[in-house]
Amino acid sequence: MALAPGTVLGKTELGREAMQRRTLPLTPRQRAILISINGRLTVGELCKRFGAGGAEAQIAELIDDLATRGLVESLGQGAQSSAAAATAASPAATGLPAAGGLAGGADWRELRVRASQLLHDFMGPDADMLTMRLESAPNEQEFMTQLQRAFDLVAAMHGPGAAERMRNRMMQADQG
């Protein structure tokens, strides 16, 4: 089953159960991909997100495997992409102040250390891949993009309330 790059994916009930209860064996990369599938991202966007260094074909195979196993399903063709990514990376989407406007004059490079600690607090070992991306962000825009992904993953795994608690703790650290 080769899914087209423009296919938007959503989790099936089996996929949600596998993610929450860990009922099926998944590699860490498969688990991270499954967590990221949110009904808005396309196969192509997921491949770009996880396929750094030319591994996009390998990621497409992992996504196809998730679909074959009944963990994800096609929700149709998507037309979003760069507009959705820009919105997701916006400070308003993360709930944090705009670039250069972090409270107390905090620097985003200092904030990424705190974000990594918070991710481990909320997600445990599942946070490893995302914290590596946060910590290696080369600029504030990429950091904000990765931070929004972190909030999305915490919300997907533990509910919107957990993501809001993480966001609030991030702001407290930023202000103090």
Side-chain angles (χ1 to χ4, degrees):
M1 162 188 289
L3 295 166
T7 303
V8 176
L9 296 174
K11 290 179 198 76
T12 63
E13 185 61 37
L14 181 62
R16 286 187 288 279
E17 183 178 320
M19 187 181 71
Q20 293 172 345
R21 301 179 200 264
R22 297 176 185 251
T23 55
L24 296 174
L26 297 171
T27 66
R29 186 167 256 183
Q30 285 175 313
R31 184 165 174 73
I33 292 168
L34 183 60
I35 289 168
S36 293
I37 293 173
N38 59 11
R40 295 185 309 263
L41 294 173
T42 65
V43 171
E45 290 168 328
L46 289 163
C47 287
K48 285 181 184 174
R49 180 177 285 187
F50 289 97
E56 290 183 19
Q58 182 182 36
I59 299 303
E61 289 177 19
L62 291 174
I63 293 170
D64 284 343
D65 181 58
L66 293 173
T68 301
R69 293 170 68 182
L71 302 175
V72 299
E73 62 188 350
S74 170
L75 300 179
Q77 295 296 305
Q80 66 189 83
S81 184
S82 57
T87 300
S90 74
T94 61
L96 294 173
L102 295 172
D107 184 273
W108 66 273
R109 289 173 285 266
E110 296 168 10
L111 197 55
R112 66 183 170 184
V113 172
R114 178 69 179 149
S116 294
Q117 292 169 343
L118 285 170
L119 272 174
H120 278 287
D121 290 350
F122 280 87
M123 296 175 62
D126 287 331
D128 289 344
M129 183 181 292
L130 191 52
T131 58
M132 286 188 296
R133 289 178 184 239
L134 274 172
E135 292 169 1
S136 65
N139 56 50
E140 188 170 356
Q141 180 180 356
E142 180 63 20
F143 168 73
M144 295 302 274
T145 298
Q146 297 302 328
L147 185 59
Q148 181 57 44
R149 288 179 184 160
F151 290 138
D152 291 345
L153 290 174
V154 169
M157 290 180 72
H158 302 290
E164 187 61 29
R165 286 190 302 278
M166 182 179 161
R167 186 176 281 112
N168 290 338
R169 286 178 61 189
M170 180 75 74
M171 291 301 295
Q172 289 170 353
D174 182 39
Q175 294 170 358

Short mmCIF file of all heavy atoms in Angstrom, two decimals, residues 89-106 108 111 140 143-144 147 151 167 170-172 174-175:
data_model
loop_
_atom_site.label_atom_id
_atom_site.label_comp_id
_atom_site.label_asym_id
_atom_site.label_seq_id
_atom_site.Cartn_x
_atom_site.Cartn_y
_atom_site.Cartn_z
N ALA A 89 4.33 27.09 13.53
CA ALA A 89 5.57 27.63 14.07
C ALA A 89 5.40 29.03 14.64
O ALA A 89 6.31 29.58 15.21
CB ALA A 89 6.63 27.68 12.97
N SER A 90 4.23 29.60 14.51
CA SER A 90 4.04 30.96 14.98
C SER A 90 4.04 31.01 16.50
O SER A 90 3.61 30.07 17.16
CB SER A 90 2.72 31.54 14.45
OG SER A 90 1.64 30.96 15.14
N PRO A 91 4.51 32.09 17.10
CA PRO A 91 4.51 32.21 18.54
C PRO A 91 3.10 32.07 19.12
O PRO A 91 2.92 31.51 20.18
CB PRO A 91 5.08 33.61 18.79
CG PRO A 91 5.88 33.89 17.57
CD PRO A 91 5.17 33.20 16.45
N ALA A 92 2.11 32.57 18.41
CA ALA A 92 0.73 32.46 18.91
C ALA A 92 0.33 31.00 19.05
O ALA A 92 -0.37 30.62 19.98
CB ALA A 92 -0.23 33.19 17.97
N ALA A 93 0.78 30.15 18.13
CA ALA A 93 0.44 28.73 18.19
C ALA A 93 1.09 28.05 19.38
O ALA A 93 0.52 27.15 19.97
CB ALA A 93 0.85 28.03 16.90
N THR A 94 2.28 28.45 19.76
CA THR A 94 2.95 27.83 20.90
C THR A 94 2.49 28.44 22.21
O THR A 94 2.69 27.86 23.26
CB THR A 94 4.49 28.03 20.82
OG1 THR A 94 4.78 29.41 20.85
CG2 THR A 94 5.08 27.35 19.62
N GLY A 95 1.89 29.63 22.15
CA GLY A 95 1.50 30.30 23.38
C GLY A 95 2.65 31.05 24.02
O GLY A 95 2.53 31.57 25.11
N LEU A 96 3.79 31.10 23.34
CA LEU A 96 4.95 31.82 23.85
C LEU A 96 5.06 33.16 23.13
O LEU A 96 4.52 33.32 22.04
CB LEU A 96 6.22 31.00 23.64
CG LEU A 96 6.30 29.71 24.43
CD1 LEU A 96 7.52 28.90 24.01
CD2 LEU A 96 6.34 29.98 25.91
N PRO A 97 5.76 34.11 23.69
CA PRO A 97 5.90 35.42 23.05
C PRO A 97 6.62 35.32 21.71
O PRO A 97 7.30 34.35 21.43
CB PRO A 97 6.75 36.22 24.05
CG PRO A 97 6.63 35.49 25.34
CD PRO A 97 6.40 34.05 25.00
N ALA A 98 6.46 36.36 20.89
CA ALA A 98 7.08 36.41 19.56
C ALA A 98 8.59 36.45 19.67
O ALA A 98 9.15 36.76 20.71
CB ALA A 98 6.59 37.66 18.83
N ALA A 99 9.25 36.13 18.57
CA ALA A 99 10.70 36.15 18.51
C ALA A 99 11.24 37.46 19.03
O ALA A 99 10.74 38.52 18.70
CB ALA A 99 11.16 35.93 17.07
N GLY A 100 12.29 37.36 19.82
CA GLY A 100 12.88 38.56 20.38
C GLY A 100 12.05 39.15 21.50
O GLY A 100 12.45 40.12 22.12
N GLY A 101 10.88 38.55 21.79
CA GLY A 101 10.02 39.11 22.82
C GLY A 101 9.82 38.18 23.99
O GLY A 101 8.83 38.27 24.68
N LEU A 102 10.74 37.26 24.22
CA LEU A 102 10.61 36.36 25.34
C LEU A 102 10.71 37.17 26.63
O LEU A 102 11.56 38.02 26.77
CB LEU A 102 11.69 35.28 25.28
CG LEU A 102 11.58 34.33 24.09
CD1 LEU A 102 12.80 33.43 24.01
CD2 LEU A 102 10.31 33.52 24.15
N ALA A 103 9.81 36.86 27.54
CA ALA A 103 9.71 37.63 28.78
C ALA A 103 11.04 37.62 29.53
O ALA A 103 11.76 36.64 29.53
CB ALA A 103 8.61 37.06 29.67
N GLY A 104 11.34 38.72 30.17
CA GLY A 104 12.55 38.83 30.97
C GLY A 104 13.82 38.83 30.14
O GLY A 104 14.89 38.64 30.67
N GLY A 105 13.69 39.04 28.83
CA GLY A 105 14.86 39.07 27.97
C GLY A 105 15.50 37.70 27.77
O GLY A 105 16.65 37.61 27.40
N ALA A 106 14.74 36.62 28.06
CA ALA A 106 15.28 35.27 27.91
C ALA A 106 15.69 35.01 26.47
O ALA A 106 15.08 35.51 25.54
CB ALA A 106 14.26 34.24 28.37
N TRP A 108 16.24 32.25 23.43
CA TRP A 108 15.66 30.98 23.02
C TRP A 108 16.61 29.83 23.24
O TRP A 108 16.21 28.72 23.52
CB TRP A 108 15.18 31.04 21.56
CG TRP A 108 16.29 31.19 20.56
CD1 TRP A 108 16.85 32.35 20.11
CD2 TRP A 108 16.99 30.14 19.90
NE1 TRP A 108 17.85 32.10 19.22
CE2 TRP A 108 17.96 30.74 19.05
CE3 TRP A 108 16.90 28.76 19.92
CZ2 TRP A 108 18.83 30.00 18.27
CZ3 TRP A 108 17.77 28.02 19.12
CH2 TRP A 108 18.72 28.64 18.30
N LEU A 111 16.12 28.75 26.70
CA LEU A 111 14.80 28.16 26.84
C LEU A 111 14.76 26.73 26.31
O LEU A 111 14.02 25.90 26.83
CB LEU A 111 13.78 29.03 26.09
CG LEU A 111 12.32 28.83 26.42
CD1 LEU A 111 12.06 28.98 27.91
CD2 LEU A 111 11.47 29.83 25.64
N GLU A 140 15.99 30.54 16.15
CA GLU A 140 14.77 30.67 16.95
C GLU A 140 13.53 30.15 16.21
O GLU A 140 12.67 29.51 16.81
CB GLU A 140 14.55 32.13 17.36
CG GLU A 140 13.42 32.30 18.35
CD GLU A 140 13.36 33.70 18.94
OE1 GLU A 140 14.23 34.54 18.65
OE2 GLU A 140 12.41 33.95 19.69
N PHE A 143 13.53 26.43 16.46
CA PHE A 143 13.22 26.08 17.85
C PHE A 143 11.72 26.18 18.10
O PHE A 143 11.11 25.27 18.68
CB PHE A 143 13.99 26.98 18.82
CG PHE A 143 13.49 26.85 20.24
CD1 PHE A 143 13.79 25.72 20.99
CD2 PHE A 143 12.72 27.85 20.81
CE1 PHE A 143 13.32 25.60 22.29
CE2 PHE A 143 12.25 27.73 22.10
CZ PHE A 143 12.55 26.61 22.86
N MET A 144 11.10 27.27 17.65
CA MET A 144 9.66 27.45 17.86
C MET A 144 8.86 26.37 17.12
O MET A 144 7.85 25.89 17.64
CB MET A 144 9.23 28.85 17.43
CG MET A 144 9.85 29.97 18.26
SD MET A 144 9.49 29.86 20.01
CE MET A 144 7.93 30.71 20.05
N LEU A 147 9.24 23.29 19.18
CA LEU A 147 8.51 23.45 20.43
C LEU A 147 7.02 23.22 20.22
O LEU A 147 6.37 22.57 21.04
CB LEU A 147 8.77 24.84 21.02
CG LEU A 147 8.17 25.11 22.38
CD1 LEU A 147 8.70 24.11 23.42
CD2 LEU A 147 8.49 26.54 22.82
N PHE A 151 4.53 20.47 22.05
CA PHE A 151 3.21 20.69 22.65
C PHE A 151 2.17 19.76 22.01
O PHE A 151 1.33 19.19 22.70
CB PHE A 151 2.76 22.14 22.48
CG PHE A 151 3.55 23.13 23.31
CD1 PHE A 151 3.95 24.34 22.77
CD2 PHE A 151 3.91 22.87 24.62
CE1 PHE A 151 4.66 25.26 23.52
CE2 PHE A 151 4.63 23.77 25.39
CZ PHE A 151 5.01 24.97 24.82
N ARG A 167 3.11 24.19 28.78
CA ARG A 167 3.22 25.57 28.27
C ARG A 167 3.34 26.55 29.45
O ARG A 167 4.19 27.45 29.44
CB ARG A 167 2.00 25.89 27.41
CG ARG A 167 2.06 27.23 26.73
CD ARG A 167 0.85 27.43 25.82
NE ARG A 167 1.04 26.71 24.56
CZ ARG A 167 0.34 25.64 24.17
NH1 ARG A 167 -0.63 25.15 24.91
NH2 ARG A 167 0.59 25.06 23.02
N MET A 170 6.69 26.30 31.06
CA MET A 170 7.68 26.93 30.17
C MET A 170 7.68 28.45 30.39
O MET A 170 8.72 29.07 30.49
CB MET A 170 7.37 26.60 28.72
CG MET A 170 8.35 27.19 27.74
SD MET A 170 9.91 26.34 27.72
CE MET A 170 9.43 24.87 26.87
N MET A 171 6.49 29.02 30.47
CA MET A 171 6.38 30.47 30.66
C MET A 171 6.91 30.88 32.04
O MET A 171 7.55 31.90 32.17
CB MET A 171 4.94 30.93 30.50
CG MET A 171 4.42 30.82 29.06
SD MET A 171 5.39 31.79 27.90
CE MET A 171 5.07 33.43 28.48
N GLN A 172 6.64 30.06 33.06
CA GLN A 172 7.16 30.37 34.41
C GLN A 172 8.69 30.38 34.40
O GLN A 172 9.31 31.24 34.99
CB GLN A 172 6.64 29.36 35.41
CG GLN A 172 5.17 29.51 35.71
CD GLN A 172 4.62 28.36 36.52
OE1 GLN A 172 5.30 27.36 36.77
NE2 GLN A 172 3.37 28.49 36.93
N ASP A 174 10.53 30.94 31.84
CA ASP A 174 10.94 32.08 31.01
C ASP A 174 10.90 33.36 31.83
O ASP A 174 11.73 34.24 31.65
CB ASP A 174 9.99 32.16 29.80
CG ASP A 174 10.36 33.28 28.85
OD1 ASP A 174 11.57 33.49 28.64
OD2 ASP A 174 9.44 33.93 28.34
N GLN A 175 9.95 33.46 32.74
CA GLN A 175 9.77 34.70 33.50
C GLN A 175 10.62 34.73 34.77
O GLN A 175 10.79 35.76 35.37
CB GLN A 175 8.30 34.89 33.87
CG GLN A 175 7.47 35.12 32.64
CD GLN A 175 5.98 35.06 32.91
OE1 GLN A 175 5.55 34.83 34.03
NE2 GLN A 175 5.19 35.27 31.88
#
